[in-house]
Amino acid sequence: MTITLGWNCWFAIHSDAQGLGNSPYSSLGIGEFYGESFSDNSGMGQSGVSVGNGFQINNLNPALWVRNRFTTLDFGLIGQYKKIDSGKNRQTNVGGNLAYVALSFPISTKWNVGVSLKPYSFVDFENEYARIVPGTPYYAYYITSGKGGINKASLNNAVQIGKYLSLGIEATYFFGNIRRGSEVQIPLPFGEGGNYMVGLNERTTVSDFSFRGGAAVRIPIKKDNKLFLNVGGTYSLGSQLASTQTVSFELTQGGSNVVAPDTLDNNLGGSMTLPTQYQAGLSLEWPYKLILSADFNHQGWSGYKSFSNSNDGLRSINRINLGAEYLPNISSLSYFNLVRYRIGFSTGPTPYVVNGTGINDTNVSLGLTFPMGGRFSNYISVAFLAGQRGTGGAGMIKERYGRVILGLTLMDRWFQKQKLE
């Protein structure tokens, strides 16, 4: 299946889906981003930087991990179905991946330590276009492709200070590699020695640390703690990630080397710059009943620099996330009164610019958390997102997607002393 994309002029795209499926926009920057939210916050429009319910880990804000009073294991999977339109061309694809694994461990009632592992970005595209070779009857086929991504392993420390304030810091180790290739193929008639192929392959490996800080304030505004106003925010430091790059060249005819493959750069040292990012949010919380949440987040991708010191045309963006969570009756004997229901909305630009046009993304979400186990101390969560990115028209791409995030939460008390009567 082929689709026409605008930013490479004359060409068509051929794709094989991996990860979350074919993503033409992942050819820009370090690819597409997974986001920080786990399944519960994903069902609330990816909002919730100011509030944690204590049942599951809120990964949007390192300070909110301290709300988890039990040892908590969160595990998530993500799947996506996408339709891509470009002019008269259509494509559908399906993909899936691990979304996150996280463990939260309370050292005391006011100190929590946790670890997490999750993908940060992914690259998955293949572009092809054809042009006639001047002065000959032959066509040359130009192919660019990319695979890979960046992952993050994090150590989180969160503390509560006094009655209302919590602070947290996340130390993250970024690792992974992105492989990009460019090929030119010239098919020749039978008997002329086979097709020519010139290829240039590039592999960039990232391995370095970065830090994110967070704060949250929980202020009671009604007697007997029946209503709280929550304020929260995070700040991710801009980081220069140590990187290495290997570039190789090959020239073949009919599958045989015309010249020996050559490594032009072997583990060349350099760096990749990730920009600063910050989030701020407000929420109203009726404990164990209702949460209304609104977040603003800024991502300064105009400050991004690739290994080659290119910005890839990325822009800084601001997004709005809105969400609500409702728990009918926590003391009810009816099972569905113990299910938590969520709804959300998110809108704003993406970092990508194509043919001078900024690409926007809007999605709506629904979420459910089902208690399970003898004491209902464990949970299965599911979030459904439906959205659209980009617009139709000449040289443009419109993506309509549906996404499912399935989460499993297991809670227990570790090292609790038993009293003997």
Side-chain angles (χ1 to χ4, degrees):
M1 186 66 185
T2 63
I3 65 174
T4 302
L5 296 183
W7 59 78
N8 286 330
C9 300
W10 314 275
F11 64 102
I13 300 275
H14 298 267
S15 306
D16 58 3
Q18 291 185 359
L20 294 186
N22 170 44
S23 175
Y25 294 117
S26 72
S27 62
L28 304 174
I30 58 174
E32 281 206 45
F33 305 99
Y34 281 87
E36 296 293 344
S37 61
F38 289 177
S39 61
D40 52 338
N41 293 103
S42 295
M44 295 175 62
Q46 306 92 60
S47 71
V49 74
S50 64
V51 60
N53 58 30
F55 294 109
Q56 293 160 291
I57 297 172
N58 185 336
N59 195 55
L60 292 175
N61 189 339
L64 294 175
W65 285 54
V66 78
R67 302 280 173 86
N68 293 86
R69 306 301 188 187
F70 298 91
T71 299
T72 304
L73 174 66
D74 261 346
F75 173 84
L77 299 173
I78 183 171
Q80 180 171 265
Y81 174 81
K82 183 190 293 184
K83 289 185 177 182
I84 307 175
D85 298 338
S86 181
K88 297 180 180 180
N89 297 302
R90 305 287 185 272
Q91 183 186 71
T92 60
N93 58 71
V94 178
N97 200 2
L98 171 72
Y100 55 85
V101 178
L103 177 65
S104 168
F105 181 75
I107 304 298
S108 70
T109 57
K110 294 189 176 184
W111 180 21
N112 185 294
V113 175
V115 293
S116 66
L117 175 66
K118 67 185 305 294
Y120 180 72
S121 72
F122 73 94
V123 173
D124 189 355
F125 69 94
E126 185 174 301
N127 308 335
E128 179 180 322
Y129 69 92
R131 279 193 305 183
I132 195 166
V133 179
T136 77
Y138 306 126
Y139 276 88
Y141 294 89
Y142 299 80
I143 302 170
T144 60
S145 62
K147 297 287 183 184
I150 297 176
N151 306 298
K152 54 179 294 189
S154 302
L155 173 65
N156 197 92
N157 256 290
V159 295
Q160 183 173 330
I161 300 175
K163 291 183 178 181
Y164 308 124
L165 175 66
S166 59
L167 301 174
I169 187 168
E170 177 188 82
T172 292
Y173 178 68
F174 285 104
F175 64 98
N177 64 79
I178 296 173
R179 305 175 301 280
R180 289 185 167 92
S182 300
E183 296 181 1
V184 181
Q185 297 181 3
I186 304 177
L188 299 180
F190 181 77
E192 294 191 19
N195 300 338
Y196 274 105
M197 191 279 286
V198 179
L200 190 67
N201 299 301
E202 174 187 291
R203 179 187 177 101
T204 304
T205 301
V206 175
S207 176
D208 212 338
F209 289 92
S210 185
F211 297 91
R212 179 170 66 129
V217 179
R218 191 173 189 233
I219 305 169
I221 57 176
K222 259 192 175 183
K223 291 182 179 180
D224 302 321
N225 294 332
K226 291 183 177 181
L227 176 61
F228 289 89
L229 171 65
N230 300 299
V231 181
T234 66
Y235 188 86
S236 300
L237 297 176
S239 305
Q240 280 198 331
L241 305 182
S243 309
T244 60
Q245 190 172 90
T246 297
V247 181
S248 60
F249 167 84
E250 60 180 332
L251 173 62
T252 65
Q253 184 178 18
S256 301
N257 291 324
V258 176
V259 296
D262 188 16
T263 300
L264 305 181
D265 293 312
N266 188 19
N267 289 326
L268 180 67
S271 65
M272 180 184 297
T273 302
L274 294 185
T276 58
Q277 302 181 46
Y278 58 83
Q279 289 179 278
L282 293 170
S283 61
L284 291 173
E285 175 192 3
W286 289 261
Y288 308 111
K289 188 67 176 180
L290 178 65
I291 295 172
L292 302 176
S293 176
D295 291 355
F296 168 85
N297 71 77
H298 171 83
Q299 303 171 19
W301 286 103
S302 59
Y304 164 78
K305 296 295 182 184
S306 68
F307 187 90
S308 60
N309 206 37
S310 168
N311 173 258
D312 287 351
L314 301 186
R315 59 175 176 166
S316 297
I317 62 171
N318 300 313
R319 289 188 63 85
I320 298 295
N321 308 87
L322 305 173
E325 176 184 276
Y326 175 64
L327 175 60
N329 188 347
I330 195 171
S331 59
S332 174
L333 297 178
S334 171
Y335 178 81
F336 287 99
N337 282 338
L338 302 175
V339 174
R340 279 174 283 140
Y341 304 86
R342 303 185 184 91
I343 189 170
F345 174 78
S346 175
T347 188
T350 71
Y352 313 121
V353 178
V354 177
N355 289 339
T357 300
I359 305 303
N360 296 327
D361 179 282
T362 297
N363 61 69
V364 295
S365 58
L366 296 172
L368 298 164
T369 292
F370 300 97
M372 64 179 189
R375 295 174 297 168
F376 291 149
S377 58
N378 303 313
Y379 303 94
I380 292 178
S381 296
V382 60
F384 303 93
L385 282 77
Q388 177 175 308
R389 179 168 57 176
T391 59
M396 301 301 294
I397 305 171
K398 180 170 68 175
E399 296 183 345
R400 289 172 291 178
Y401 59 87
R403 193 173 298 160
V404 178
I405 301 97
L406 179 65
L408 173 65
T409 302
L410 304 176
M411 298 196 304
D412 201 357
R413 289 188 182 273
W414 287 8
F415 311 120
Q416 186 178 31
K417 293 182 179 180
Q418 300 294 324
K419 293 183 178 180
L420 299 178
E421 298 293 338

